[in-house]
Amino acid sequence: MPVTKSAIARVKTNEIAQARRVAQLSEERTAVKKFEKAVTAGADNVEELYRSASAAIDHAYSKGLIKKNKASRDKSRLAARLAK
């Protein structure tokens, strides 16, 4: 356990930041899953869900939650799924 005041504050800050990262990554994953489910079901709003999933991936990359190659790979897979 931290003893100094600054170390205690740092632990609190780290917990808040971790919660934010988890939430943002969860939003990205949810957007991708919604797109995948819509494609499988043959929904009408697939284009819109593709755009939102792609934007979520870009946002996760810009925040440093995922690496560049993973973002590119995920977007490529989404585009391939959309083209089918």
Side-chain angles (χ1 to χ4, degrees):
M1 291 297 298
V3 177
T4 63
K5 189 174 183 180
S6 62
I8 292 169
R10 196 70 209 148
V11 167
K12 190 175 178 182
T13 303
N14 286 341
E15 288 173 352
I16 292 168
Q18 179 62 21
R20 186 182 326 109
R21 285 191 293 272
V22 167
Q24 289 174 341
L25 197 55
S26 177
E27 286 178 20
E28 183 259 337
R29 289 176 179 152
T30 302
V32 171
K33 286 178 186 177
K34 281 183 182 178
F35 170 75
E36 292 289 339
K37 187 179 271 189
V39 169
T40 303
D44 295 334
N45 61 344
V46 175
E47 292 280 338
E48 178 185 332
L49 290 172
Y50 169 74
R51 282 194 297 274
S52 67
S54 181
I57 291 170
D58 287 337
H59 185 258
Y61 167 65
S62 71
K63 295 299 178 184
L65 301 174
I66 59 176
K67 295 194 180 254
K68 186 177 184 178
N69 284 352
K70 177 169 171 46
S72 296
R73 182 177 67 240
D74 288 350
K75 287 177 70 173
S76 176
R77 286 178 179 165
L78 291 180
R81 239 359 248 283
L82 181 66
K84 280 188 177 180

